[in-house]
Amino acid sequence: MLNLVPSAIDPEISPETFETIGQILKNQCGFRLDGYKDKCVKRRIGIRVRATQSPSPEAYGELLTRNSSELDHLLRVLTIHVSHFFRNPSTFEKLSSLILPRLLGEVSRERGVRLASVGCAGGEEPYSLALILKDRFPEALEHGSVSISASDVDGKTLEVARQALYHPDRLAEVPPELMLRWFKREGERYRLCPEIRALVEFSRADLNDCLSLEPCDLIMCRNVLIYFERTRQEAILNGFADALSSGGTLVLGKSESLFGSARRRFRTVCAVERIYQLI
Ligand SMILES: C[S@@+](CC[C@H](N)C(=O)[O-])C[C@H]1O[C@@H](n2cnc3c(N)ncnc32)[C@H](O)[C@@H]1O
């Protein structure tokens, strides 16, 4: 017979309690649960119900109304910030050898090239782009013709990004010469130097508001869509297509792909790296 450990069983969250917790997150953190996969969200709430030793999901909902640090904690658990520099190095290699030379060559100097990292977590992804530009396309930066914007729904993770102080496990894929040149050790961690940090502009934005996307030439949105329901994913993908300039590039995570009406708006540049170009 299956021997379940009581603490590992997900508590049953009623639709009413789910709604209440959703309202608290929306009113107090500006974070909306709609569009996310219910099952995934409920599992994560369940983790916090157990961790706080709340006797029931309802009691946990009560706790959220009077304990702002638990509310922060829940938000962090829901918005998973796993990331590291040069995550999937082959994707950055493709960007550097194929996509960036084309974008930097095509777009006029007056307008500049606009790169965006959406769901940027602690800044690892946009800073990796910045390091590539500095290392391989310094003349484009000198002319001030490239900008990198980075956004996330979680204000706390954006603070981490702005501080740019990282544990070595986030830096394992940084090429040694870039590590030596652009990071300074501070105790057990490493801080990215101001010259690279200045290349990225961070702001808070919710992917659910596709209309808030600024026009751009390249969007990296990796390992974010997986948390959303299919219909919401499709709406977000169409939002990317609307925001991209003609011939603009979209990069998704390795376990994400284009589908539905959004599929028809892009051609595949590299299926393995999930790189697509707006038609
Ligand atoms: C797993 S991380 C991915 C980080 C990075 N893109 C990468 O692939 O390494 C997912 C990020 O998406 C953000 N996120 C989740 N929901 C979001 C939303 N509705 N709008 C914007 N960002 C969101 C989370 O806060 C988190 O930082």
Side-chain angles (χ1 to χ4, degrees), residues 31-32 36 78-84 87 117-122 124-125 151-154 157 205-208 220-224 227-228:
F31 178 73
R32 285 176 289 151
Y36 289 91
L78 290 173
T79 52
I80 311 140
H81 302 112
V82 181
S83 188
H84 57 265
R87 184 178 192 172
S117 162
V118 179
C120 67
E124 298 85 347
E125 184 176 271
S151 60
D152 200 282
V153 73
D154 182 2
T157 204
D206 188 338
L207 254 186
N208 280 308
M220 291 190 84
C221 183
R222 302 186 305 156
N223 310 300
V224 186
Y227 302 113
F228 288 92

